[in-house]
Amino acid sequence: MTRVLFVVVGLVVLSWTPLAGAQTATEPMSGEALLRGPLARPAARLAGAQVLRGQFTQQRHLSELPRPLIASGEFLFAKELGVYWHTRKPFDSVVTLTPSGIVERAEGKETMRLSADDQPGVRMVARVFLALFTLDMASLERHFRVIAESGDGKSSRWSIRLEPRGDALASVFVHANVSGDEDVEQVVLTDARGDRTVIDLTAVQYSSTPPSATTRALFEPASP
Amino acid sequence: MNRLPAPLRRRFIAWSALMLGVLGLGAFQVLPDLALETDVLALLPRTQQDRDLDAALQSFSAGLARQQIFLVGAANPDGARRAAEAFARELRRSGQFATVRLELDGDLRRRADVYLRHRAWLLAPEDRNLLAAGELDRIRNRALRAAYTPMGLMQPVSLTEDPLGLTGRFLSSQVPALGRARIEDSMLTVDHGGHRYLLVVAEVQGSAFATEVQDRVLPVLEAARDAARAAAASAVDIVSSGALRHAAAAADRARREISTFGTLETLAVVLLMVAVFGALRPLLLGALTLALAVGSAFTIVHLVFGQVHLLTLVFGSSLIGSVIDYSIHFLADRFRDPDRWTPADALSHVGPAILLGLVATLIGYVVLALVPFPGLEQIAVFCMTGLVVGCGSVLCLYPVLARASGRQPPGLGPRVGRAIDEYLRRWRWDAMKIGVTAALAVAVAFGLARLRVEDDVRSLQHSPPQLVTEEQRVRELLGSGLETRFFLVTGDTAQAALESTEELSRTLDDLVRSGALAYYQSVTRSLPSLAQQRRDHDLLSRTVYAPGALLEQVMADLGFEPAAIENRRREFAGQTEPMGIDEWLAAPASEGLRHLWMGRAGDRYASIVTLGGIRDVAALEGAQSGSARLIDRVAETSGILGRYRHIMSWLLAAIYCVAGLVLLARFGWRAVPRMLLPSIAATLTTLGLFGWLGVPFNLFTLLALWLVLGLGIDYGIFLHHGRASRPTAILSVTLSACTTLIAFGLLAFSATPFIRSIGTTLLVTITLSWSFVLISSLTGLPRDSKREEKIS
């Protein structure tokens, strides 16, 4: 039993790399300072929101691949529930991220289910996604070193860089850049090989009423 | 001294020199690295297999026994983390642990390395099935979804290098099921009842059963607990599981009992001796004899076996009974003629009886030593050494040392002897006594029929309730406890063993699906056999890497140029060698699994498959095959206990016969029944009584009965020899029965079940044996009584 557990321990998340050397141009700013400064307005808006919905475009830039892989669709974030990620193009696929795991459905059928308990990396990714959407600085700072890259007070635009503290997230990306103005507008994930995933969020709407039954139903299959 | 004959003096000097030599050996060879074993299982014979495999299994079990699991919990996650970190730090700092693990290995890439070097030969079981079944569309669709949706972000290997995700899936399949624990912030975590628990696993250096290891480790655990409490700044709940604390508790209890019982025993014996002999000299002589006997026995056993078992020591205390008996017989001889007695008289008068008693007892122990049962060998060697040394000391040292003091000895002893003698002389076998005896015999027979046999080894080990509760809580928190059952898979070659392990794994997969088993752990999920790797390589060549096959289709769909596709093909073709056993064993990837590969054991190769959350033992037994055997140490051990109980019952009967023949040659057929029957009757009556009382009969009861055999025969011989001075002989036998009762009566109150078993048995049997032997040796048979009456 003990050995069993420790096998796991080692193999937990087989990451491609340890941290790449972080080169930061600017001084790190504490999460609280960021929330008082450049992130004050988007964070305030998010704090009041119960449900958040909008459109996304995802581009993956891969080595040896001449053109990026582009996908688009709509997303929905509901507090306490998770993220509902509906890819419309180039094909229809729904991914639901909740604290307990990730479920993927294509053409109405469940095609994959990753339980956070079985695959620890999944829990991390789910948590980070949720934190990104809420700008939950406390949670982000636990897993990342948070560095302010711009947001000098003159313009309302801001950009922060997140560098994972642990290996579990480093297996997914070595750093993430999150930027926006009133809202979170773009997330760029960069992995150790330099492959990048760029996610643009547009037409974001807030709702301060709790998620409706229809919205809840979207997450149903994801709950264990 | 001057009046002493020269042979006696020479004997005294030679024996003293011998004793000094043995004790010197003990002081300089044994004491520096003393090892006291407390595990009852260590006394049992190895499972019936070839020696090498057995040795390998033994070291596997020893490795498991070294593991200690700790769950460090607090009400809030931060507190739990700080507590666990402080706890682990303290364990590491102590240097008493070979490994202490809390956080996961940081350099995970190193772990994946060996698999990446051989990924052209490796497949996850699910992918293997899909490819073999031709369900290529499912793999294609999965790859496309990974490229366009967040699912792709979870892949451990980049899309360019692993467009179909096959390598990623193999790596993910290396994460085994782990009960309720999950990984959180790179620590194994269990949330339960509003508390967060973090897992710390430590491996002690040295055997968990060695007292010196326990003595070093236990204070460290206490210090670590304190450190955890201080670090968390809140209530900390630490539960643990592992053999060490159980073994330490057993050893500690044994030490406590030995010192408590030992002190009480000594006090009682001192009082008894002073009351009877009225001088300190007999007492000191008895103590000297005992010390020499125990010291030599301990030294010899330690030299022969490398350690001494707790049970051997318990039996050693039986020597108090027998060895002190010799000195009592010698010293009590003085009461025959208190005024003119000299030690040399005693030597000629009781020496032959003592020697004869020794021979009869030794026969029993020689037979015991010949039974191939490591524990019995040790006990037999201990007892034989102790008895020979004790007897030798009495016969060689006492003639010089046991000078009578000028004073008259107290009258208490002779009065007791005379009182019993008079009672016995008045004893008549009338109709009522015969009737009662017959009724008792019938009751005993019915009791014997009701006797319950108990061989379950678990009932013989007993841990303090607090440790048992902790063990249960660990089980509850982790969703699985330490399973003692596992599979042993063997093969003529290393590859054959791996192939058999794969076959077993497929069966176990079905059992996991059907719920008979929660999970299992085997090397082949990480280290497939060469045959399997070749099949997988072949499958990949045909279905994935062939021109126009899956790889080309998917990569073209995603928009890769032909050059990129060619790169993947070249990489595949470049990995010409499958992953070998030695390479895997040497790689960081095998850490945590490599102990399951036992490699060469004798002329075979073996691997172990461990099990978790067993719900259906019968189904597991059904999974056995010619090469895969379900090993159940507990059941095997109970079986062995039962088998040996059986063999030893017959041996006991056989030794009564042999002893009977020896006595027959010496005393003739009329005297022998009087000497032997009391012991036999006492043994049967005890067992009958146990039957009525519901006290179970086990191997340890039987060991006690062996002891009774020796003591009972001693009494018989002594009373026979002492017919001329009945009160003295009666006193002598009564005194020795009393000392034995003092020694073993206390063991009946032991908290260790197997020691209690021995104690209870002896308490009852010695009492019975003493009264039976007096009646049988010193009262006339019904017919004799009448004759004696006429004569007197």
Side-chain angles (χ1 to χ4, degrees), chain B residues 326 353-367 387 655-656 658-660 662-663 676 706 709-714 717:
Chain B
Y326 297 144
I354 289 178
L355 267 179
L356 194 65
L358 176 72
V359 169
T361 314
L362 282 184
I363 290 172
Y365 287 119
V366 166
V367 173
L387 286 172
I655 286 160
Y656 268 110
V658 173
V662 172
L663 296 178
L676 275 187
W706 276 70
L709 163 79
L711 293 173
I713 290 177
D714 270 359
I717 294 173

Side-chain angles (χ1 to χ4, degrees), chain A residues 30-88:
Chain A
S30 81
E32 272 181 48
L34 282 168
L35 285 177
R36 279 197 305 276
L39 298 190
R41 280 194 308 150
R45 286 184 66 171
L46 285 165
Q50 289 286 334
V51 178
L52 191 68
R53 58 177 89 226
Q55 308 286 319
F56 74 85
T57 311
Q58 174 191 293
Q59 299 177 51
R60 295 194 77 180
H61 300 268
L62 303 174
S63 60
E64 297 185 46
L65 188 68
R67 291 176 307 281
L69 301 167
I70 302 172
S72 61
E74 64 215 28
F75 74 93
L76 181 146
F77 163 78
K79 220 172 226 175
E80 324 272 286
L81 288 176
V83 179
Y84 170 83
W85 198 263
H86 191 163
T87 307
R88 297 275 190 191

Side-chain angles (χ1 to χ4, degrees), chain B residues 604-781:
Chain B
R604 292 179 75 71
Y605 289 81
S607 99
I608 276 178
V609 177
T610 55
L611 307 167
I614 297 172
R615 277 178 212 94
D616 184 353
V617 177
L620 287 173
E621 279 164 357
Q624 298 185 100
S625 66
S627 52
R629 216 153 52 80
L630 182 66
I631 307 275
D632 183 343
R633 295 296 263 199
V634 172
E636 271 179 18
T637 306
S638 300
I640 290 165
L641 281 182
R643 216 163 55 243
Y644 278 83
R645 179 182 46 73
H646 216 75
I647 294 171
M648 288 192 45
S649 303
W650 287 112
L651 278 176
L652 185 67
I655 286 160
Y656 268 110
C657 295
V658 173
L661 290 176
V662 172
L663 296 178
L664 199 66
R666 176 73 183 71
F667 297 107
W669 65 273
R670 279 179 67 93
V672 172
R674 289 180 172 227
M675 295 175 175
L676 275 187
L677 279 180
S679 299
I680 297 171
T683 297
L684 292 177
T685 310
T686 305
L687 294 179
L689 194 65
F690 281 8
W692 285 109
L693 295 178
V695 177
F697 175 63
N698 59 40
L699 185 61
F700 298 96
T701 317
L702 198 59
L703 286 175
L705 294 176
W706 276 70
L707 203 66
V708 170
L709 163 79
L711 293 173
I713 290 177
D714 270 359
Y715 298 162
I717 294 173
F718 223 80
L719 290 174
H720 185 85
H721 263 277
R723 275 165 311 174
S725 47
R726 282 172 56 133
T728 313
I730 290 171
L731 171 65
S732 183
V733 166
T734 306
L735 266 181
S736 67
C738 280
T739 50
T740 310
L741 280 182
I742 291 167
F744 287 101
L746 290 173
L747 288 189
F749 299 100
S750 166
T752 311
F754 68 87
I755 297 181
R756 196 166 53 230
S757 225
I758 295 170
T760 319
T761 311
L762 279 161
L763 190 64
V764 177
T765 320
I766 291 292
T767 312
L768 290 173
S769 196
W770 169 78
S771 40
F772 287 178
V773 81
L774 286 179
I775 294 172
S776 98
S777 295
L778 301 179
T779 65
L781 291 173

Side-chain angles (χ1 to χ4, degrees), chain A residues 121-137:
Chain A
V122 169
R123 175 185 302 274
M124 278 294 193
V125 173
R127 197 182 280 157
V128 168
F129 258 74
L130 299 182
L132 277 179
F133 279 99
T134 49
L135 286 178
D136 175 355
M137 291 313 281

